[in-house]
Amino acid sequence: MIVWLNGGFGVGKTTLAAELHRRLPDAVVYDPEDVGLMLWKWLPPNEDFQALPSWRELVVATALSLRRHHARTLVVPMSLLRDSYRAEILDGLADAGEEVLHVFLDAAPEVLRDRLRARTPPPGGHRPDGSALDWALSRLDPTAADRQPAGTLVLRSDRLTPAELADAVLAAADRPS
């Protein structure tokens, strides 16, 4: 199974991925940001590597390869806030025969702003123009949870602890905690 942890910057995807990995030590945690950074080594950096068709294609191919060859469970903490990119990636995984549990973490915008400002370094710290905090803040989308596809597990990370979030994800995946 692939557990895709989606949601805005600062919502707790990385923290939840770590808690899931603690409970599922044989799982592989795969961060698609590394694919974007790799592409920026070869291509002129743009504002958002997710806009690169190669990024979306390689994210799917890498997830499939990791899941098939190295892990029964793949945990992927990555924001996919643009609906068309989310559909392209999640549909690509499903079309390849993978079982995908799509989890969307939501939190109040003021909570996300506070979390982002408290981070060192801020998310997207590899931004080509160096304005990572402003970039992340500009991508806050309070309506994103409402646009998630059917079957998405939507959880509030500002109301649940990481352990409670992991319990909910594992229950949805029908896995023991």
Short mmCIF file of all heavy atoms in Angstrom, two decimals, residues 93-161:
data_model
loop_
_atom_site.label_atom_id
_atom_site.label_comp_id
_atom_site.label_asym_id
_atom_site.label_seq_id
_atom_site.Cartn_x
_atom_site.Cartn_y
_atom_site.Cartn_z
N LEU A 93 -0.65 6.24 -9.90
CA LEU A 93 -0.36 5.15 -8.98
C LEU A 93 -1.46 4.10 -9.01
O LEU A 93 -1.20 2.90 -9.08
CB LEU A 93 -0.18 5.70 -7.56
CG LEU A 93 1.02 6.63 -7.36
CD1 LEU A 93 0.95 7.29 -5.99
CD2 LEU A 93 2.33 5.88 -7.54
N ALA A 94 -2.71 4.55 -8.99
CA ALA A 94 -3.85 3.62 -9.02
C ALA A 94 -3.90 2.88 -10.34
O ALA A 94 -4.16 1.67 -10.37
CB ALA A 94 -5.15 4.38 -8.77
N ASP A 95 -3.64 3.57 -11.44
CA ASP A 95 -3.66 2.93 -12.76
C ASP A 95 -2.59 1.85 -12.88
O ASP A 95 -2.74 0.91 -13.65
CB ASP A 95 -3.47 3.96 -13.88
CG ASP A 95 -4.67 4.88 -14.05
OD1 ASP A 95 -5.75 4.60 -13.46
OD2 ASP A 95 -4.53 5.91 -14.75
N ALA A 96 -1.53 1.97 -12.09
CA ALA A 96 -0.46 0.96 -12.10
C ALA A 96 -0.79 -0.20 -11.16
O ALA A 96 0.02 -1.10 -10.99
CB ALA A 96 0.87 1.61 -11.69
N GLY A 97 -1.98 -0.16 -10.56
CA GLY A 97 -2.41 -1.26 -9.72
C GLY A 97 -2.08 -1.11 -8.25
O GLY A 97 -2.25 -2.06 -7.48
N GLU A 98 -1.60 0.04 -7.84
CA GLU A 98 -1.25 0.25 -6.44
C GLU A 98 -2.46 0.65 -5.62
O GLU A 98 -3.30 1.42 -6.08
CB GLU A 98 -0.18 1.34 -6.29
CG GLU A 98 1.17 0.94 -6.83
CD GLU A 98 1.81 -0.20 -6.06
OE1 GLU A 98 1.57 -0.33 -4.84
OE2 GLU A 98 2.56 -0.97 -6.67
N GLU A 99 -2.54 0.11 -4.41
CA GLU A 99 -3.55 0.55 -3.45
C GLU A 99 -3.01 1.81 -2.80
O GLU A 99 -1.91 1.82 -2.25
CB GLU A 99 -3.78 -0.54 -2.42
CG GLU A 99 -4.85 -0.19 -1.41
CD GLU A 99 -5.05 -1.28 -0.36
OE1 GLU A 99 -4.37 -2.31 -0.42
OE2 GLU A 99 -5.89 -1.05 0.54
N VAL A 100 -3.78 2.89 -2.88
CA VAL A 100 -3.34 4.18 -2.35
C VAL A 100 -4.34 4.65 -1.30
O VAL A 100 -5.54 4.74 -1.59
CB VAL A 100 -3.20 5.24 -3.46
CG1 VAL A 100 -2.77 6.58 -2.87
CG2 VAL A 100 -2.23 4.79 -4.54
N LEU A 101 -3.84 4.94 -0.12
CA LEU A 101 -4.65 5.60 0.90
C LEU A 101 -4.23 7.06 0.87
O LEU A 101 -3.10 7.40 1.23
CB LEU A 101 -4.41 5.00 2.29
CG LEU A 101 -5.09 5.74 3.45
CD1 LEU A 101 -6.60 5.80 3.27
CD2 LEU A 101 -4.71 5.09 4.78
N HIS A 102 -5.13 7.92 0.41
CA HIS A 102 -4.86 9.35 0.34
C HIS A 102 -5.37 10.01 1.61
O HIS A 102 -6.56 9.97 1.91
CB HIS A 102 -5.55 9.95 -0.90
CG HIS A 102 -5.33 11.42 -1.04
ND1 HIS A 102 -6.36 12.30 -1.22
CD2 HIS A 102 -4.20 12.16 -1.03
CE1 HIS A 102 -5.88 13.53 -1.32
NE2 HIS A 102 -4.57 13.46 -1.20
N VAL A 103 -4.45 10.59 2.37
CA VAL A 103 -4.77 11.25 3.63
C VAL A 103 -4.53 12.74 3.43
O VAL A 103 -3.45 13.15 2.98
CB VAL A 103 -3.88 10.73 4.77
CG1 VAL A 103 -4.20 11.44 6.08
CG2 VAL A 103 -4.00 9.22 4.92
N PHE A 104 -5.53 13.54 3.76
CA PHE A 104 -5.37 14.99 3.70
C PHE A 104 -5.44 15.54 5.11
O PHE A 104 -6.44 15.39 5.80
CB PHE A 104 -6.45 15.65 2.83
CG PHE A 104 -6.19 17.11 2.60
CD1 PHE A 104 -5.38 17.51 1.56
CD2 PHE A 104 -6.72 18.06 3.45
CE1 PHE A 104 -5.09 18.86 1.36
CE2 PHE A 104 -6.45 19.41 3.26
CZ PHE A 104 -5.64 19.82 2.21
N LEU A 105 -4.33 16.14 5.54
CA LEU A 105 -4.28 16.78 6.85
C LEU A 105 -4.70 18.24 6.71
O LEU A 105 -4.22 18.94 5.82
CB LEU A 105 -2.86 16.71 7.44
CG LEU A 105 -2.31 15.31 7.68
CD1 LEU A 105 -0.89 15.41 8.25
CD2 LEU A 105 -3.21 14.51 8.60
N ASP A 106 -5.60 18.64 7.57
CA ASP A 106 -6.12 20.00 7.54
C ASP A 106 -5.89 20.65 8.89
O ASP A 106 -5.79 19.96 9.91
CB ASP A 106 -7.62 19.95 7.21
CG ASP A 106 -8.19 21.29 6.78
OD1 ASP A 106 -7.40 22.18 6.40
OD2 ASP A 106 -9.43 21.45 6.82
N ALA A 107 -5.79 21.96 8.90
CA ALA A 107 -5.65 22.74 10.14
C ALA A 107 -6.10 24.15 9.83
O ALA A 107 -6.11 24.59 8.67
CB ALA A 107 -4.21 22.73 10.63
N ALA A 108 -6.45 24.87 10.87
CA ALA A 108 -6.87 26.26 10.71
C ALA A 108 -5.72 27.08 10.12
O ALA A 108 -4.55 26.87 10.48
CB ALA A 108 -7.29 26.83 12.06
N PRO A 109 -6.03 28.01 9.22
CA PRO A 109 -4.97 28.82 8.58
C PRO A 109 -4.05 29.52 9.59
O PRO A 109 -2.84 29.59 9.38
CB PRO A 109 -5.73 29.83 7.74
CG PRO A 109 -7.05 29.17 7.45
CD PRO A 109 -7.35 28.34 8.68
N GLU A 110 -4.60 30.01 10.70
CA GLU A 110 -3.75 30.71 11.68
C GLU A 110 -2.78 29.75 12.35
O GLU A 110 -1.65 30.11 12.66
CB GLU A 110 -4.59 31.48 12.71
CG GLU A 110 -5.54 30.64 13.53
CD GLU A 110 -6.91 30.41 12.89
OE1 GLU A 110 -7.13 30.78 11.73
OE2 GLU A 110 -7.77 29.84 13.58
N VAL A 111 -3.18 28.51 12.53
CA VAL A 111 -2.28 27.49 13.08
C VAL A 111 -1.15 27.23 12.10
O VAL A 111 0.03 27.15 12.50
CB VAL A 111 -3.06 26.18 13.40
CG1 VAL A 111 -2.10 25.05 13.74
CG2 VAL A 111 -4.05 26.42 14.53
N LEU A 112 -1.48 27.09 10.82
CA LEU A 112 -0.45 26.85 9.81
C LEU A 112 0.51 28.02 9.73
O LEU A 112 1.74 27.82 9.64
CB LEU A 112 -1.09 26.57 8.45
CG LEU A 112 -1.93 25.30 8.38
CD1 LEU A 112 -2.55 25.16 7.00
CD2 LEU A 112 -1.10 24.08 8.73
N ARG A 113 0.00 29.24 9.73
CA ARG A 113 0.88 30.42 9.69
C ARG A 113 1.84 30.42 10.88
O ARG A 113 3.05 30.67 10.71
CB ARG A 113 0.06 31.71 9.66
CG ARG A 113 -0.46 32.06 8.27
CD ARG A 113 -1.04 33.47 8.24
NE ARG A 113 -2.35 33.54 8.87
CZ ARG A 113 -3.50 33.23 8.29
NH1 ARG A 113 -3.50 32.83 7.03
NH2 ARG A 113 -4.63 33.32 8.93
N ASP A 114 1.32 30.14 12.07
CA ASP A 114 2.18 30.12 13.26
C ASP A 114 3.24 29.03 13.16
O ASP A 114 4.41 29.25 13.49
CB ASP A 114 1.34 29.90 14.52
CG ASP A 114 0.48 31.10 14.89
OD1 ASP A 114 0.72 32.20 14.34
OD2 ASP A 114 -0.44 30.93 15.71
N ARG A 115 2.85 27.85 12.69
CA ARG A 115 3.81 26.75 12.55
C ARG A 115 4.89 27.09 11.53
O ARG A 115 6.07 26.80 11.75
CB ARG A 115 3.09 25.47 12.13
CG ARG A 115 2.24 24.84 13.22
CD ARG A 115 1.55 23.61 12.71
NE ARG A 115 0.68 22.99 13.69
CZ ARG A 115 -0.09 21.93 13.44
NH1 ARG A 115 -0.06 21.36 12.23
NH2 ARG A 115 -0.86 21.43 14.38
N LEU A 116 4.49 27.69 10.42
CA LEU A 116 5.46 28.03 9.37
C LEU A 116 6.45 29.07 9.86
O LEU A 116 7.65 28.98 9.60
CB LEU A 116 4.74 28.52 8.12
CG LEU A 116 3.99 27.46 7.32
CD1 LEU A 116 3.12 28.11 6.25
CD2 LEU A 116 4.95 26.46 6.72
N ARG A 117 5.96 30.07 10.57
CA ARG A 117 6.85 31.12 11.07
C ARG A 117 7.82 30.59 12.12
O ARG A 117 8.90 31.13 12.30
CB ARG A 117 6.02 32.27 11.61
CG ARG A 117 5.35 33.07 10.51
CD ARG A 117 4.64 34.31 11.05
NE ARG A 117 4.03 35.04 9.95
CZ ARG A 117 2.72 35.16 9.78
NH1 ARG A 117 1.86 34.62 10.64
NH2 ARG A 117 2.25 35.83 8.75
N ALA A 118 7.42 29.53 12.84
CA ALA A 118 8.27 28.97 13.89
C ALA A 118 9.33 28.02 13.35
O ALA A 118 10.27 27.68 14.06
CB ALA A 118 7.40 28.23 14.91
N ARG A 119 9.20 27.60 12.10
CA ARG A 119 10.13 26.62 11.53
C ARG A 119 11.47 27.23 11.19
O ARG A 119 11.56 28.36 10.72
CB ARG A 119 9.57 26.04 10.23
CG ARG A 119 8.60 24.97 10.43
CD ARG A 119 8.30 24.41 9.07
NE ARG A 119 7.44 23.26 9.17
CZ ARG A 119 7.04 22.59 8.13
NH1 ARG A 119 7.41 22.94 6.91
NH2 ARG A 119 6.26 21.55 8.27
N THR A 120 12.51 26.41 11.39
CA THR A 120 13.85 26.79 10.94
C THR A 120 14.49 25.56 10.34
O THR A 120 14.71 24.59 11.05
CB THR A 120 14.71 27.28 12.11
OG1 THR A 120 14.00 28.30 12.80
CG2 THR A 120 16.02 27.83 11.63
N PRO A 121 14.82 25.52 9.08
CA PRO A 121 14.41 26.48 8.06
C PRO A 121 12.96 26.25 7.66
O PRO A 121 12.41 25.18 7.91
CB PRO A 121 15.35 26.17 6.89
CG PRO A 121 15.61 24.70 7.02
CD PRO A 121 15.61 24.42 8.52
N PRO A 122 12.37 27.23 7.02
CA PRO A 122 10.98 27.07 6.59
C PRO A 122 10.88 26.05 5.46
O PRO A 122 11.87 25.71 4.83
CB PRO A 122 10.59 28.47 6.10
CG PRO A 122 11.88 29.13 5.76
CD PRO A 122 12.92 28.53 6.66
N PRO A 123 9.68 25.53 5.21
CA PRO A 123 9.51 24.58 4.12
C PRO A 123 9.89 25.23 2.80
O PRO A 123 9.78 26.44 2.64
CB PRO A 123 8.03 24.23 4.16
CG PRO A 123 7.40 25.41 4.81
CD PRO A 123 8.41 25.93 5.79
N GLY A 124 10.32 24.43 1.86
CA GLY A 124 10.74 24.98 0.58
C GLY A 124 12.02 25.76 0.71
O GLY A 124 12.29 26.67 -0.05
N GLY A 125 12.84 25.41 1.71
CA GLY A 125 14.07 26.14 1.98
C GLY A 125 15.04 26.14 0.81
O GLY A 125 16.00 26.88 0.81
N HIS A 126 14.76 25.33 -0.18
CA HIS A 126 15.62 25.25 -1.36
C HIS A 126 15.08 26.12 -2.49
O HIS A 126 15.43 25.91 -3.64
CB HIS A 126 15.73 23.80 -1.82
CG HIS A 126 16.19 22.87 -0.74
ND1 HIS A 126 17.48 22.85 -0.30
CD2 HIS A 126 15.53 21.96 0.01
CE1 HIS A 126 17.60 21.95 0.66
NE2 HIS A 126 16.43 21.40 0.87
N ARG A 127 14.21 27.08 -2.19
CA ARG A 127 13.62 27.93 -3.22
C ARG A 127 14.73 28.65 -3.96
O ARG A 127 15.67 29.17 -3.34
CB ARG A 127 12.68 28.97 -2.60
CG ARG A 127 11.65 28.42 -1.69
CD ARG A 127 10.42 27.78 -2.28
NE ARG A 127 10.21 27.90 -3.66
CZ ARG A 127 9.94 26.86 -4.46
NH1 ARG A 127 9.92 25.65 -3.99
NH2 ARG A 127 9.71 27.03 -5.73
N PRO A 128 14.62 28.72 -5.27
CA PRO A 128 15.68 29.38 -6.04
C PRO A 128 15.83 30.86 -5.71
O PRO A 128 16.91 31.41 -5.81
CB PRO A 128 15.26 29.19 -7.50
CG PRO A 128 13.86 28.68 -7.47
CD PRO A 128 13.60 28.13 -6.12
N ASP A 129 14.73 31.51 -5.27
CA ASP A 129 14.83 32.94 -4.97
C ASP A 129 15.05 33.21 -3.48
O ASP A 129 15.15 34.35 -3.07
CB ASP A 129 13.59 33.69 -5.47
CG ASP A 129 12.32 33.24 -4.78
OD1 ASP A 129 12.38 32.40 -3.86
OD2 ASP A 129 11.25 33.75 -5.16
N GLY A 130 15.10 32.15 -2.67
CA GLY A 130 15.42 32.30 -1.27
C GLY A 130 14.29 32.76 -0.37
O GLY A 130 14.50 32.91 0.82
N SER A 131 13.10 33.02 -0.88
CA SER A 131 12.00 33.51 -0.05
C SER A 131 11.08 32.36 0.33
O SER A 131 9.89 32.38 0.05
CB SER A 131 11.23 34.59 -0.81
OG SER A 131 10.74 34.08 -2.03
N ALA A 132 11.62 31.38 1.02
CA ALA A 132 10.88 30.16 1.33
C ALA A 132 9.64 30.41 2.19
O ALA A 132 8.58 29.85 1.93
CB ALA A 132 11.80 29.16 2.02
N LEU A 133 9.76 31.22 3.22
CA LEU A 133 8.63 31.46 4.10
C LEU A 133 7.49 32.14 3.35
O LEU A 133 6.34 31.72 3.43
CB LEU A 133 9.04 32.28 5.32
CG LEU A 133 7.91 32.63 6.29
CD1 LEU A 133 7.23 31.37 6.82
CD2 LEU A 133 8.43 33.49 7.43
N ASP A 134 7.82 33.21 2.61
CA ASP A 134 6.78 33.90 1.84
C ASP A 134 6.14 32.97 0.83
O ASP A 134 4.93 33.00 0.61
CB ASP A 134 7.36 35.13 1.12
CG ASP A 134 7.74 36.23 2.09
OD1 ASP A 134 7.21 36.24 3.23
OD2 ASP A 134 8.57 37.07 1.73
N TRP A 135 6.96 32.13 0.19
CA TRP A 135 6.45 31.19 -0.80
C TRP A 135 5.46 30.23 -0.15
O TRP A 135 4.37 29.99 -0.64
CB TRP A 135 7.62 30.43 -1.43
CG TRP A 135 7.24 29.50 -2.52
CD1 TRP A 135 7.09 29.82 -3.85
CD2 TRP A 135 6.96 28.10 -2.42
NE1 TRP A 135 6.73 28.69 -4.56
CE2 TRP A 135 6.64 27.63 -3.70
CE3 TRP A 135 6.95 27.21 -1.36
CZ2 TRP A 135 6.33 26.30 -3.96
CZ3 TRP A 135 6.63 25.89 -1.60
CH2 TRP A 135 6.32 25.45 -2.88
N ALA A 136 5.83 29.66 1.01
CA ALA A 136 4.96 28.72 1.71
C ALA A 136 3.68 29.41 2.18
O ALA A 136 2.58 28.85 2.05
CB ALA A 136 5.70 28.09 2.88
N LEU A 137 3.81 30.60 2.74
CA LEU A 137 2.63 31.33 3.21
C LEU A 137 1.67 31.67 2.07
O LEU A 137 0.46 31.64 2.24
CB LEU A 137 3.05 32.60 3.94
CG LEU A 137 3.70 32.41 5.31
CD1 LEU A 137 4.28 33.72 5.83
CD2 LEU A 137 2.71 31.82 6.31
N SER A 138 2.23 31.94 0.90
CA SER A 138 1.39 32.29 -0.25
C SER A 138 0.59 31.09 -0.77
O SER A 138 -0.33 31.25 -1.55
CB SER A 138 2.23 32.87 -1.39
OG SER A 138 2.97 31.85 -2.04
N ARG A 139 0.95 29.90 -0.33
CA ARG A 139 0.27 28.69 -0.80
C ARG A 139 -0.74 28.13 0.21
O ARG A 139 -1.27 27.05 0.00
CB ARG A 139 1.29 27.63 -1.19
CG ARG A 139 1.75 27.91 -2.62
CD ARG A 139 3.19 27.59 -2.87
NE ARG A 139 3.54 27.89 -4.24
CZ ARG A 139 3.87 29.08 -4.70
NH1 ARG A 139 3.86 30.12 -3.91
NH2 ARG A 139 4.20 29.26 -5.96
N LEU A 140 -1.01 28.86 1.27
CA LEU A 140 -2.05 28.43 2.20
C LEU A 140 -3.39 28.47 1.47
O LEU A 140 -3.71 29.45 0.80
CB LEU A 140 -2.10 29.34 3.42
CG LEU A 140 -0.90 29.26 4.37
CD1 LEU A 140 -1.07 30.23 5.52
CD2 LEU A 140 -0.69 27.86 4.87
N ASP A 141 -4.14 27.40 1.59
CA ASP A 141 -5.42 27.29 0.87
C ASP A 141 -6.47 26.72 1.83
O ASP A 141 -6.58 25.51 1.99
CB ASP A 141 -5.25 26.38 -0.34
CG ASP A 141 -6.50 26.24 -1.17
OD1 ASP A 141 -7.56 26.77 -0.77
OD2 ASP A 141 -6.43 25.60 -2.24
N PRO A 142 -7.26 27.60 2.46
CA PRO A 142 -8.23 27.12 3.44
C PRO A 142 -9.37 26.29 2.84
O PRO A 142 -10.12 25.66 3.58
CB PRO A 142 -8.75 28.40 4.09
CG PRO A 142 -8.34 29.51 3.22
CD PRO A 142 -7.20 29.05 2.38
N THR A 143 -9.50 26.24 1.53
CA THR A 143 -10.57 25.45 0.91
C THR A 143 -10.08 24.12 0.35
O THR A 143 -10.87 23.36 -0.21
CB THR A 143 -11.24 26.24 -0.23
OG1 THR A 143 -10.30 26.43 -1.30
CG2 THR A 143 -11.75 27.59 0.25
N ALA A 144 -8.81 23.82 0.51
CA ALA A 144 -8.24 22.61 -0.11
C ALA A 144 -8.92 21.34 0.39
O ALA A 144 -9.15 20.42 -0.39
CB ALA A 144 -6.73 22.55 0.13
N ALA A 145 -9.24 21.25 1.67
CA ALA A 145 -9.86 20.03 2.20
C ALA A 145 -11.19 19.74 1.52
O ALA A 145 -11.55 18.58 1.32
CB ALA A 145 -10.05 20.14 3.71
N ASP A 146 -11.89 20.80 1.14
CA ASP A 146 -13.20 20.63 0.49
C ASP A 146 -13.09 20.08 -0.93
O ASP A 146 -14.08 19.60 -1.48
CB ASP A 146 -13.95 21.97 0.43
CG ASP A 146 -14.21 22.54 1.81
OD1 ASP A 146 -14.35 21.75 2.77
OD2 ASP A 146 -14.26 23.78 1.93
N ARG A 147 -11.90 20.15 -1.53
CA ARG A 147 -11.73 19.73 -2.92
C ARG A 147 -11.07 18.37 -3.07
O ARG A 147 -10.69 17.99 -4.18
CB ARG A 147 -10.89 20.77 -3.68
CG ARG A 147 -11.54 22.13 -3.80
CD ARG A 147 -10.80 23.02 -4.79
NE ARG A 147 -9.37 22.94 -4.69
CZ ARG A 147 -8.61 23.66 -3.85
NH1 ARG A 147 -9.17 24.50 -3.02
NH2 ARG A 147 -7.30 23.53 -3.85
N GLN A 148 -10.90 17.65 -1.99
CA GLN A 148 -10.24 16.35 -2.08
C GLN A 148 -11.19 15.31 -2.67
O GLN A 148 -12.39 15.39 -2.47
CB GLN A 148 -9.74 15.91 -0.71
CG GLN A 148 -8.71 16.87 -0.11
CD GLN A 148 -7.58 17.19 -1.05
OE1 GLN A 148 -6.88 16.30 -1.52
NE2 GLN A 148 -7.39 18.47 -1.35
N PRO A 149 -10.64 14.36 -3.41
CA PRO A 149 -11.49 13.36 -4.07
C PRO A 149 -12.17 12.42 -3.07
O PRO A 149 -11.73 12.28 -1.93
CB PRO A 149 -10.51 12.59 -4.97
CG PRO A 149 -9.17 12.82 -4.37
CD PRO A 149 -9.21 14.16 -3.70
N ALA A 150 -13.23 11.80 -3.54
CA ALA A 150 -13.93 10.81 -2.72
C ALA A 150 -12.94 9.75 -2.26
O ALA A 150 -12.03 9.38 -2.99
CB ALA A 150 -15.06 10.17 -3.52
N GLY A 151 -13.13 9.27 -1.06
CA GLY A 151 -12.25 8.25 -0.52
C GLY A 151 -11.07 8.79 0.25
O GLY A 151 -10.33 8.04 0.87
N THR A 152 -10.88 10.12 0.22
CA THR A 152 -9.78 10.73 0.96
C THR A 152 -10.10 10.73 2.44
O THR A 152 -11.21 11.07 2.85
CB THR A 152 -9.55 12.19 0.48
OG1 THR A 152 -9.19 12.17 -0.90
CG2 THR A 152 -8.47 12.88 1.28
N LEU A 153 -9.13 10.35 3.24
CA LEU A 153 -9.25 10.43 4.70
C LEU A 153 -8.80 11.82 5.10
O LEU A 153 -7.62 12.16 4.98
CB LEU A 153 -8.38 9.36 5.37
CG LEU A 153 -8.33 9.37 6.89
CD1 LEU A 153 -9.71 9.12 7.49
CD2 LEU A 153 -7.31 8.35 7.38
N VAL A 154 -9.74 12.66 5.55
CA VAL A 154 -9.43 14.02 5.96
C VAL A 154 -9.35 14.05 7.48
O VAL A 154 -10.29 13.64 8.17
CB VAL A 154 -10.48 15.03 5.45
CG1 VAL A 154 -10.16 16.44 5.94
CG2 VAL A 154 -10.56 15.00 3.92
N LEU A 155 -8.22 14.52 7.99
CA LEU A 155 -7.97 14.58 9.43
C LEU A 155 -7.51 15.97 9.82
O LEU A 155 -6.77 16.62 9.07
CB LEU A 155 -6.90 13.56 9.83
CG LEU A 155 -7.19 12.09 9.53
CD1 LEU A 155 -5.94 11.25 9.76
CD2 LEU A 155 -8.35 11.60 10.38
N ARG A 156 -7.89 16.41 11.01
CA ARG A 156 -7.50 17.73 11.52
C ARG A 156 -6.27 17.59 12.41
O ARG A 156 -6.35 17.07 13.52
CB ARG A 156 -8.65 18.35 12.31
CG ARG A 156 -9.85 18.76 11.49
CD ARG A 156 -9.54 19.88 10.52
NE ARG A 156 -9.05 21.06 11.19
CZ ARG A 156 -9.64 22.24 11.16
NH1 ARG A 156 -10.74 22.41 10.46
NH2 ARG A 156 -9.11 23.26 11.80
N SER A 157 -5.13 18.07 11.92
CA SER A 157 -3.90 17.95 12.69
C SER A 157 -3.81 19.00 13.79
O SER A 157 -2.91 18.91 14.63
CB SER A 157 -2.68 18.06 11.77
OG SER A 157 -2.56 19.37 11.26
N ASP A 158 -4.71 19.96 13.79
CA ASP A 158 -4.73 20.93 14.88
C ASP A 158 -5.65 20.47 16.02
O ASP A 158 -5.76 21.15 17.03
CB ASP A 158 -5.11 22.32 14.39
CG ASP A 158 -6.44 22.37 13.64
OD1 ASP A 158 -7.02 21.30 13.35
OD2 ASP A 158 -6.90 23.49 13.33
N ARG A 159 -6.30 19.32 15.85
CA ARG A 159 -7.19 18.79 16.88
C ARG A 159 -6.76 17.41 17.38
O ARG A 159 -7.28 16.94 18.38
CB ARG A 159 -8.62 18.71 16.33
CG ARG A 159 -9.18 20.06 15.98
CD ARG A 159 -10.58 19.97 15.46
NE ARG A 159 -11.02 21.27 14.99
CZ ARG A 159 -11.98 21.45 14.12
NH1 ARG A 159 -12.63 20.42 13.61
NH2 ARG A 159 -12.31 22.67 13.74
N LEU A 160 -5.86 16.76 16.64
CA LEU A 160 -5.41 15.42 17.00
C LEU A 160 -3.90 15.42 17.18
O LEU A 160 -3.18 16.15 16.48
CB LEU A 160 -5.78 14.42 15.90
CG LEU A 160 -7.28 14.25 15.61
CD1 LEU A 160 -7.48 13.40 14.37
CD2 LEU A 160 -7.98 13.64 16.81
N THR A 161 -3.42 14.59 18.07
CA THR A 161 -1.97 14.44 18.27
C THR A 161 -1.41 13.59 17.13
O THR A 161 -2.17 12.89 16.44
CB THR A 161 -1.68 13.74 19.60
OG1 THR A 161 -2.16 12.39 19.52
CG2 THR A 161 -2.31 14.46 20.78
#
